[in-house]
Amino acid sequence: MEIRHCVTCNATLFGPNYIAFPCPNCGEIIYRCKKCRQLGNHYVCSCGFEGP
């Protein structure tokens, strides 16, 4: 089982407390915890794409 982390706060993700979606620029899967997503915290994909 692969351990996933929030791209914003680096929290370990498990259960239904995160979301995964493809980067609109490169398609890489981005993982964000529920808290960072609700707060609209900034994130950066490895390709350089930035999102709220």
Side-chain angles (χ1 to χ4, degrees):
M1 181 178 202
E2 182 181 344
I3 297 175
R4 296 183 174 117
H5 295 90
C6 176
V7 71
T8 302
C9 69
N10 204 36
T12 301
L13 304 173
F14 57 93
N17 294 324
Y18 71 94
I19 187 165
F21 58 93
C23 171
N25 191 44
C26 72
E28 178 182 339
I29 301 299
I30 295 171
Y31 298 96
R32 297 188 73 200
C33 71
K34 186 176 181 180
K35 183 177 179 179
C36 284
R37 186 157 187 246
Q38 287 177 338
L39 294 173
N41 291 343
H42 181 81
Y43 69 89
V44 179
C45 179
S46 62
C47 73
F49 178 82
E50 298 181 24

